[in-house]
Amino acid sequence: MAKIKLTKLPFSETPEQAKALDAKLEELKSVPGGLMPALQNAQDIYGYLPIEVQKRIAEKLNVSLEEVFGVATFYAQFTLSPRGAYQVAVCLGTACYVKGAGDIINALKTKLGIESGECTEDGRFSLIETRCIGCCGLAPVMTINSNVYGKLTTDQLDGILREYM
């Protein structure tokens, strides 16, 4: 069973976020199969699916919290932890892994002070392990948001991360 990462950051929402979610849930409460679009909309609004939001979805759609949590943890598109402004993703596909992606991810965990699936306390970085992103000729590969960094070594990481500080 996969380990589920939960945030250490406190949940906060704006009145605008609450209003947007409540409006969407009202719209979906009588729609068969409305749970999936509710979760997708909630993640669009908040950037992730905190337990407080999952509870509200369960209540408004009249489904169990277990069902909401089950769907949220089954599909890779959903995250239970906030994502940083800069999403650092390291490819662990075969070509990247063979060329040293394991060392890259371990170095990033140390440098950022977080594990994979977590967000730094300042909300700046999140660390994600991915599978093949189709840049095998550049292995090992890391992306930060839409920027691709290939043929990486651990020595390059400090300079790359500095660009986002």
Side-chain angles (χ1 to χ4, degrees):
M1 179 180 217
K3 184 176 179 185
I4 297 169
K5 303 283 185 183
L6 299 175
T7 182
K8 297 174 188 164
L9 301 174
F11 172 67
S12 66
E13 74 179 336
T14 65
E16 294 79 16
Q17 288 172 315
K19 184 177 178 182
L21 179 61
D22 288 342
K24 185 48 81 172
L25 294 176
E26 186 63 31
E27 178 185 315
L28 293 170
K29 75 179 183 182
S30 59
V31 174
L35 178 56
M36 191 71 162
L39 290 169
Q40 291 166 329
N41 279 277
Q43 183 155 294
D44 287 345
I45 293 167
Y46 296 95
Y48 71 115
L49 298 172
I51 191 67
E52 296 85 353
V53 169
Q54 292 177 58
K55 286 177 182 177
R56 205 145 87 231
I57 291 170
E59 289 170 13
K60 297 280 186 176
L61 297 186
N62 198 29
V63 298
S64 70
L65 179 58
E66 291 80 6
E67 184 177 354
V68 173
F69 183 79
V71 173
T73 56
F74 180 80
Y75 292 99
Q77 68 181 289
F78 299 123
T79 180
L80 304 184
S81 294
R83 297 259 170 104
Y86 301 108
Q87 296 179 36
V88 181
V90 178
C91 177
L92 295 180
T94 303
C96 286
Y97 196 81
V98 167
K99 297 248 180 160
D103 294 335
I104 301 294
I105 194 82
N106 289 332
L108 285 166
K109 288 176 184 179
T110 300
K111 291 176 185 307
L112 297 173
I114 56 175
E115 292 295 315
S116 296
E118 294 181 344
C119 181
T120 57
E121 287 187 21
D122 63 3
R124 184 174 296 269
F125 295 101
S126 56
L127 184 58
I128 305 161
E129 296 177 3
T130 65
R131 297 296 164 232
C132 185
I133 60 171
C135 297
C136 301
L138 298 175
V141 174
M142 168 179 82
T143 61
I144 300 181
N145 294 352
S146 60
N147 298 319
V148 178
Y149 300 90
K151 299 190 185 243
L152 283 175
T153 65
T154 55
D155 294 338
Q156 296 170 299
L157 296 176
D158 285 333
I160 293 169
L161 291 174
R162 245 190 318 274
E163 295 176 34
Y164 299 90
M165 296 294 198

